[in-house]
Amino acid sequence: MKKIYCFINGGYENFLNVVALAEDGHVLAEHVSSNEYWAKHDIGVTSDWKHDSYKSFYPNGYEVVWLDDPLADERCVAAIELNKKLNER
């Protein structure tokens, strides 16, 4: 099943940037949230928010994965590298 990696991608207290990154490096959603609890909700880990975009990108199914440390997950690191290559184009 395809994975969508969700994690906090910077920010500061009460203004956290949360992102949903597809396996192939495409950013599927972003949101600014006040804390981690709301970040998980706002990006669709604990809610159905953003899932229309996820279903559109992965119509055959997907799994939303929350990562506290995205750089510690080799699959997410690979997706980040693919995102860099997409942005170079």
Side-chain angles (χ1 to χ4, degrees):
M1 181 166 295
K2 299 293 184 177
K3 307 284 190 224
I4 299 172
Y5 305 108
C6 299
F7 53 91
I8 294 171
N9 190 33
Y12 48 88
E13 187 176 352
N14 294 317
F15 198 89
L16 301 176
N17 299 311
V18 61
V19 65
L21 183 65
E23 288 181 359
D24 68 357
H26 284 89
V27 174
L28 302 183
E30 296 176 279
H31 201 88
V32 173
S33 303
S34 58
N35 59 49
E36 184 177 320
Y37 171 85
W38 282 112
K40 290 177 180 179
H41 174 276
D42 297 340
I43 207 68
V45 174
T46 61
S47 71
D48 62 356
W49 281 31
K50 312 291 187 192
H51 283 259
D52 288 342
S53 295
Y54 303 160
K55 288 176 188 170
S56 176
F57 196 79
Y58 287 136
N60 295 323
Y62 57 90
E63 178 184 2
V64 177
V65 178
W66 179 261
L67 296 172
D68 289 320
D69 185 358
L71 298 179
D73 186 295
E74 64 186 38
R75 302 164 304 164
C76 186
V77 170
I80 291 168
E81 290 302 316
L82 290 170
N83 176 265
K84 288 178 185 177
K85 289 179 182 176
L86 287 171
N87 288 322
E88 289 172 359
R89 293 183 190 164

